[in-house]
Amino acid sequence: CYVCGERGATITCRGKKCKRSFHFPCGRENGCISQFVGQYRSFCQQHRPAQTVQAHQDGQTSCVICLEHVEGKLSYQTMVCPNCRQAWFHRGCIQQQAFHAGLLCFRCPQCNDREKFLPEMSSLGIQVPARQPAWEAGAGFTDMYQRHSRCDASLCLYAHGREQAEEEGPWSLLLCSSCAAKGTHRCCSAMRDSTAMWECEDC
């Protein structure tokens, strides 16, 4: 490994005529780039790809993700959106966003561009996992997928209670056509079987 001098370096720089090899952790700490798309190429610090967009900062610029100060120019640690050229961010910050957003939702945090942003970040070694966004994983949104199933009329007349309803007829449940967050049995709100829409008092 050209960084630590130890054996077992399995990553070789793809720069022209470059024979440098390095361990992945050593390369990451030393500013090497490993791409996680296409041919999965890696580059040493000397031959790594760099951004070529013409972007200028007006005074002291902050990272749009962590709001901390960024360098006054493009570098390995400081990056900019190739589309809007105004969203500056630290490499570590945009990498964390990529991990959370996943392939489907990763885009510029300021201008929302994806067409230029994704290929540019991938070529600069930002790993974008091919999975759903972290905020949609687990049980965080389980309640949003549950259909409201309770009669919210001030006086529920159904003998089996507010939590029960029939498929058709006077005891079928209608949800508010605007918010869908409240419901009523047809009979509890004096509606005919032919009534197709109902709005709650809040809407």
Side-chain angles (χ1 to χ4, degrees), residues 108-137:
C108 173
Q110 182 161 307
C111 71
N112 224 20
D113 175 71
R114 175 181 167 82
E115 187 175 341
K116 293 182 179 179
F117 188 75
L118 179 58
E120 177 102 345
M121 295 299 109
S122 297
S123 71
L124 295 170
I126 300 301
Q127 183 180 3
V128 187
R131 59 167 175 75
Q132 66 178 348
W135 53 83
E136 290 186 4

mmCIF file of all heavy atoms in Angstrom, residues 108-137:
data_model
loop_
_atom_site.group_PDB
_atom_site.id
_atom_site.type_symbol
_atom_site.label_atom_id
_atom_site.label_comp_id
_atom_site.label_asym_id
_atom_site.label_seq_id
_atom_site.Cartn_x
_atom_site.Cartn_y
_atom_site.Cartn_z
ATOM 1 N N CYS A 108 -29.768 16.964 -5.746
ATOM 2 C CA CYS A 108 -29.199 18.168 -5.132
ATOM 3 C C CYS A 108 -30.116 18.646 -4.017
ATOM 4 O O CYS A 108 -31.319 18.812 -4.229
ATOM 5 C CB CYS A 108 -29.021 19.266 -6.180
ATOM 6 S SG CYS A 108 -28.518 20.865 -5.475
ATOM 7 N N PRO A 109 -29.581 18.903 -2.829
ATOM 8 C CA PRO A 109 -30.422 19.348 -1.719
ATOM 9 C C PRO A 109 -30.970 20.761 -1.893
ATOM 10 O O PRO A 109 -31.833 21.176 -1.135
ATOM 11 C CB PRO A 109 -29.481 19.266 -0.510
ATOM 12 C CG PRO A 109 -28.108 19.318 -1.080
ATOM 13 C CD PRO A 109 -28.186 18.699 -2.440
ATOM 14 N N GLN A 110 -30.483 21.491 -2.898
ATOM 15 C CA GLN A 110 -30.973 22.854 -3.096
ATOM 16 C C GLN A 110 -31.856 22.992 -4.331
ATOM 17 O O GLN A 110 -32.989 23.461 -4.242
ATOM 18 C CB GLN A 110 -29.810 23.843 -3.179
ATOM 19 C CG GLN A 110 -30.252 25.296 -3.338
ATOM 20 C CD GLN A 110 -29.163 26.267 -2.968
ATOM 21 O OE1 GLN A 110 -28.604 26.181 -1.875
ATOM 22 N NE2 GLN A 110 -28.847 27.192 -3.852
ATOM 23 N N CYS A 111 -31.357 22.598 -5.504
ATOM 24 C CA CYS A 111 -32.138 22.792 -6.736
ATOM 25 C C CYS A 111 -32.922 21.549 -7.132
ATOM 26 O O CYS A 111 -33.689 21.565 -8.088
ATOM 27 C CB CYS A 111 -31.231 23.214 -7.888
ATOM 28 S SG CYS A 111 -30.141 21.902 -8.503
ATOM 29 N N ASN A 112 -32.726 20.446 -6.409
ATOM 30 C CA ASN A 112 -33.480 19.209 -6.644
ATOM 31 C C ASN A 112 -33.114 18.519 -7.954
ATOM 32 O O ASN A 112 -33.823 17.633 -8.402
ATOM 33 C CB ASN A 112 -34.988 19.475 -6.605
ATOM 34 C CG ASN A 112 -35.735 18.421 -5.818
ATOM 35 O OD1 ASN A 112 -35.153 17.721 -5.011
ATOM 36 N ND2 ASN A 112 -37.025 18.307 -6.056
ATOM 37 N N ASP A 113 -32.008 18.918 -8.581
ATOM 38 C CA ASP A 113 -31.603 18.295 -9.843
ATOM 39 C C ASP A 113 -31.080 16.895 -9.591
ATOM 40 O O ASP A 113 -30.440 16.625 -8.586
ATOM 41 C CB ASP A 113 -30.508 19.123 -10.518
ATOM 42 C CG ASP A 113 -29.970 18.439 -11.764
ATOM 43 O OD1 ASP A 113 -30.710 18.377 -12.760
ATOM 44 O OD2 ASP A 113 -28.827 17.944 -11.721
ATOM 45 N N ARG A 114 -31.356 16.013 -10.517
ATOM 46 C CA ARG A 114 -30.890 14.635 -10.431
ATOM 47 C C ARG A 114 -30.108 14.232 -11.673
ATOM 48 O O ARG A 114 -29.169 13.463 -11.607
ATOM 49 C CB ARG A 114 -32.093 13.708 -10.240
ATOM 50 C CG ARG A 114 -31.775 12.233 -10.263
ATOM 51 C CD ARG A 114 -33.052 11.414 -10.093
ATOM 52 N NE ARG A 114 -32.816 10.026 -10.404
ATOM 53 C CZ ARG A 114 -32.297 9.137 -9.572
ATOM 54 N NH1 ARG A 114 -31.951 9.522 -8.352
ATOM 55 N NH2 ARG A 114 -32.120 7.879 -9.929
ATOM 56 N N GLU A 115 -30.481 14.794 -12.825
ATOM 57 C CA GLU A 115 -29.898 14.401 -14.107
ATOM 58 C C GLU A 115 -28.399 14.636 -14.165
ATOM 59 O O GLU A 115 -27.637 13.783 -14.609
ATOM 60 C CB GLU A 115 -30.602 15.153 -15.236
ATOM 61 C CG GLU A 115 -30.200 14.693 -16.615
ATOM 62 C CD GLU A 115 -31.006 15.370 -17.708
ATOM 63 O OE1 GLU A 115 -32.091 15.903 -17.421
ATOM 64 O OE2 GLU A 115 -30.537 15.379 -18.849
ATOM 65 N N LYS A 116 -27.940 15.799 -13.730
ATOM 66 C CA LYS A 116 -26.506 16.091 -13.708
ATOM 67 C C LYS A 116 -25.868 15.691 -12.388
ATOM 68 O O LYS A 116 -24.713 15.280 -12.336
ATOM 69 C CB LYS A 116 -26.266 17.584 -13.946
ATOM 70 C CG LYS A 116 -26.623 18.080 -15.332
ATOM 71 C CD LYS A 116 -26.305 19.568 -15.453
ATOM 72 C CE LYS A 116 -26.629 20.109 -16.832
ATOM 73 N NZ LYS A 116 -26.341 21.568 -16.929
ATOM 74 N N PHE A 117 -26.639 15.837 -11.329
ATOM 75 C CA PHE A 117 -26.105 15.665 -9.981
ATOM 76 C C PHE A 117 -25.665 14.229 -9.697
ATOM 77 O O PHE A 117 -24.546 14.002 -9.225
ATOM 78 C CB PHE A 117 -27.168 16.096 -8.965
ATOM 79 C CG PHE A 117 -26.683 16.150 -7.547
ATOM 80 C CD1 PHE A 117 -25.867 17.178 -7.115
ATOM 81 C CD2 PHE A 117 -27.050 15.165 -6.641
ATOM 82 C CE1 PHE A 117 -25.418 17.235 -5.805
ATOM 83 C CE2 PHE A 117 -26.606 15.216 -5.333
ATOM 84 C CZ PHE A 117 -25.795 16.251 -4.917
ATOM 85 N N LEU A 118 -26.520 13.259 -10.001
ATOM 86 C CA LEU A 118 -26.210 11.864 -9.680
ATOM 87 C C LEU A 118 -24.957 11.350 -10.393
ATOM 88 O O LEU A 118 -24.061 10.793 -9.743
ATOM 89 C CB LEU A 118 -27.422 10.973 -9.989
ATOM 90 C CG LEU A 118 -27.256 9.479 -9.735
ATOM 91 C CD1 LEU A 118 -26.876 9.216 -8.282
ATOM 92 C CD2 LEU A 118 -28.536 8.732 -10.096
ATOM 93 N N PRO A 119 -24.834 11.524 -11.721
ATOM 94 C CA PRO A 119 -23.601 11.039 -12.378
ATOM 95 C C PRO A 119 -22.334 11.726 -11.868
ATOM 96 O O PRO A 119 -21.292 11.085 -11.717
ATOM 97 C CB PRO A 119 -23.836 11.365 -13.860
ATOM 98 C CG PRO A 119 -25.307 11.522 -14.000
ATOM 99 C CD PRO A 119 -25.781 12.059 -12.696
ATOM 100 N N GLU A 120 -22.435 13.024 -11.593
ATOM 101 C CA GLU A 120 -21.260 13.757 -11.117
ATOM 102 C C GLU A 120 -20.813 13.258 -9.750
ATOM 103 O O GLU A 120 -19.629 12.993 -9.520
ATOM 104 C CB GLU A 120 -21.581 15.259 -11.038
ATOM 105 C CG GLU A 120 -20.453 16.088 -10.481
ATOM 106 C CD GLU A 120 -19.676 16.827 -11.545
ATOM 107 O OE1 GLU A 120 -19.823 16.497 -12.737
ATOM 108 O OE2 GLU A 120 -18.927 17.737 -11.180
ATOM 109 N N MET A 121 -21.756 13.107 -8.839
ATOM 110 C CA MET A 121 -21.402 12.632 -7.502
ATOM 111 C C MET A 121 -20.872 11.195 -7.544
ATOM 112 O O MET A 121 -19.933 10.843 -6.837
ATOM 113 C CB MET A 121 -22.616 12.718 -6.562
ATOM 114 C CG MET A 121 -23.090 14.139 -6.288
ATOM 115 S SD MET A 121 -21.837 15.172 -5.486
ATOM 116 C CE MET A 121 -21.401 16.296 -6.812
ATOM 117 N N SER A 122 -21.462 10.361 -8.392
ATOM 118 C CA SER A 122 -21.000 8.971 -8.502
ATOM 119 C C SER A 122 -19.578 8.905 -9.034
ATOM 120 O O SER A 122 -18.761 8.099 -8.579
ATOM 121 C CB SER A 122 -21.938 8.182 -9.419
ATOM 122 O OG SER A 122 -23.239 8.115 -8.864
ATOM 123 N N SER A 123 -19.250 9.765 -10.008
ATOM 124 C CA SER A 123 -17.897 9.758 -10.571
ATOM 125 C C SER A 123 -16.870 10.266 -9.570
ATOM 126 O O SER A 123 -15.681 9.938 -9.659
ATOM 127 C CB SER A 123 -17.843 10.618 -11.842
ATOM 128 O OG SER A 123 -17.962 11.998 -11.520
ATOM 129 N N LEU A 124 -17.317 11.046 -8.591
ATOM 130 C CA LEU A 124 -16.413 11.583 -7.575
ATOM 131 C C LEU A 124 -16.319 10.685 -6.343
ATOM 132 O O LEU A 124 -15.781 11.088 -5.320
ATOM 133 C CB LEU A 124 -16.872 12.987 -7.166
ATOM 134 C CG LEU A 124 -16.797 14.049 -8.271
ATOM 135 C CD1 LEU A 124 -17.485 15.330 -7.847
ATOM 136 C CD2 LEU A 124 -15.352 14.319 -8.663
ATOM 137 N N GLY A 125 -16.871 9.477 -6.440
ATOM 138 C CA GLY A 125 -16.719 8.507 -5.367
ATOM 139 C C GLY A 125 -17.799 8.508 -4.316
ATOM 140 O O GLY A 125 -17.642 7.853 -3.276
ATOM 141 N N ILE A 126 -18.911 9.197 -4.547
ATOM 142 C CA ILE A 126 -20.016 9.159 -3.592
ATOM 143 C C ILE A 126 -20.806 7.873 -3.828
ATOM 144 O O ILE A 126 -21.276 7.623 -4.937
ATOM 145 C CB ILE A 126 -20.932 10.391 -3.735
ATOM 146 C CG1 ILE A 126 -20.140 11.675 -3.478
ATOM 147 C CG2 ILE A 126 -22.122 10.291 -2.779
ATOM 148 C CD1 ILE A 126 -19.503 11.760 -2.104
ATOM 149 N N GLN A 127 -20.929 7.072 -2.812
ATOM 150 C CA GLN A 127 -21.633 5.791 -2.920
ATOM 151 C C GLN A 127 -23.124 6.014 -2.695
ATOM 152 O O GLN A 127 -23.538 6.501 -1.639
ATOM 153 C CB GLN A 127 -21.093 4.789 -1.900
ATOM 154 C CG GLN A 127 -21.724 3.423 -2.010
ATOM 155 C CD GLN A 127 -21.174 2.444 -0.985
ATOM 156 O OE1 GLN A 127 -20.358 2.803 -0.141
ATOM 157 N NE2 GLN A 127 -21.613 1.213 -1.054
ATOM 158 N N VAL A 128 -23.928 5.652 -3.695
ATOM 159 C CA VAL A 128 -25.380 5.810 -3.610
ATOM 160 C C VAL A 128 -26.003 4.414 -3.624
ATOM 161 O O VAL A 128 -26.068 3.777 -4.672
ATOM 162 C CB VAL A 128 -25.923 6.644 -4.782
ATOM 163 C CG1 VAL A 128 -27.405 6.946 -4.579
ATOM 164 C CG2 VAL A 128 -25.133 7.939 -4.948
ATOM 165 N N PRO A 129 -26.449 3.910 -2.480
ATOM 166 C CA PRO A 129 -26.977 2.543 -2.427
ATOM 167 C C PRO A 129 -28.286 2.395 -3.198
ATOM 168 O O PRO A 129 -29.123 3.295 -3.200
ATOM 169 C CB PRO A 129 -27.186 2.300 -0.928
ATOM 170 C CG PRO A 129 -27.313 3.661 -0.326
ATOM 171 C CD PRO A 129 -26.471 4.576 -1.167
ATOM 172 N N ALA A 130 -28.446 1.248 -3.850
ATOM 173 C CA ALA A 130 -29.658 0.972 -4.621
ATOM 174 C C ALA A 130 -30.720 0.389 -3.694
ATOM 175 O O ALA A 130 -30.966 -0.816 -3.660
ATOM 176 C CB ALA A 130 -29.354 0.010 -5.766
ATOM 177 N N ARG A 131 -31.339 1.253 -2.903
ATOM 178 C CA ARG A 131 -32.396 0.836 -1.976
ATOM 179 C C ARG A 131 -33.350 2.001 -1.750
ATOM 180 O O ARG A 131 -33.090 3.125 -2.167
ATOM 181 C CB ARG A 131 -31.799 0.368 -0.655
ATOM 182 C CG ARG A 131 -30.974 1.440 0.050
ATOM 183 C CD ARG A 131 -30.671 1.030 1.475
ATOM 184 N NE ARG A 131 -29.796 1.961 2.147
ATOM 185 C CZ ARG A 131 -30.157 3.164 2.604
ATOM 186 N NH1 ARG A 131 -31.389 3.582 2.447
ATOM 187 N NH2 ARG A 131 -29.280 3.958 3.205
ATOM 188 N N GLN A 132 -34.452 1.716 -1.087
ATOM 189 C CA GLN A 132 -35.432 2.758 -0.820
ATOM 190 C C GLN A 132 -34.891 3.743 0.226
ATOM 191 O O GLN A 132 -33.968 3.412 0.963
ATOM 192 C CB GLN A 132 -36.738 2.142 -0.333
ATOM 193 C CG GLN A 132 -36.642 1.456 1.022
ATOM 194 C CD GLN A 132 -37.967 0.905 1.491
ATOM 195 O OE1 GLN A 132 -39.002 1.204 0.926
ATOM 196 N NE2 GLN A 132 -37.948 0.086 2.529
ATOM 197 N N PRO A 133 -35.430 4.951 0.277
ATOM 198 C CA PRO A 133 -34.950 5.934 1.255
ATOM 199 C C PRO A 133 -35.095 5.431 2.686
ATOM 200 O O PRO A 133 -36.028 4.681 3.000
ATOM 201 C CB PRO A 133 -35.864 7.141 1.014
ATOM 202 C CG PRO A 133 -36.428 6.946 -0.347
ATOM 203 C CD PRO A 133 -36.505 5.483 -0.573
ATOM 204 N N ALA A 134 -34.183 5.840 3.537
ATOM 205 C CA ALA A 134 -34.202 5.395 4.930
ATOM 206 C C ALA A 134 -35.478 5.820 5.639
ATOM 207 O O ALA A 134 -35.968 5.122 6.525
ATOM 208 C CB ALA A 134 -32.978 5.948 5.665
ATOM 209 N N TRP A 135 -36.030 6.973 5.240
ATOM 210 C CA TRP A 135 -37.223 7.459 5.931
ATOM 211 C C TRP A 135 -38.482 6.659 5.563
ATOM 212 O O TRP A 135 -39.521 6.806 6.187
ATOM 213 C CB TRP A 135 -37.449 8.937 5.654
ATOM 214 C CG TRP A 135 -37.492 9.317 4.211
ATOM 215 C CD1 TRP A 135 -38.568 9.239 3.366
ATOM 216 C CD2 TRP A 135 -36.418 9.848 3.426
ATOM 217 N NE1 TRP A 135 -38.229 9.686 2.118
ATOM 218 C CE2 TRP A 135 -36.924 10.072 2.118
ATOM 219 C CE3 TRP A 135 -35.081 10.161 3.710
ATOM 220 C CZ2 TRP A 135 -36.125 10.591 1.091
ATOM 221 C CZ3 TRP A 135 -34.312 10.668 2.687
ATOM 222 C CH2 TRP A 135 -34.818 10.885 1.405
ATOM 223 N N GLU A 136 -38.400 5.808 4.530
ATOM 224 C CA GLU A 136 -39.542 4.969 4.187
ATOM 225 C C GLU A 136 -39.373 3.541 4.692
ATOM 226 O O GLU A 136 -40.269 2.721 4.556
ATOM 227 C CB GLU A 136 -39.744 4.946 2.667
ATOM 228 C CG GLU A 136 -40.244 6.256 2.111
ATOM 229 C CD GLU A 136 -40.576 6.173 0.635
ATOM 230 O OE1 GLU A 136 -40.491 5.075 0.071
ATOM 231 O OE2 GLU A 136 -40.915 7.217 0.057
ATOM 232 N N ALA A 137 -38.213 3.239 5.251
ATOM 233 C CA ALA A 137 -37.961 1.899 5.768
ATOM 234 C C ALA A 137 -38.514 1.773 7.187
ATOM 235 O O ALA A 137 -38.761 2.760 7.867
ATOM 236 C CB ALA A 137 -36.463 1.604 5.759
#
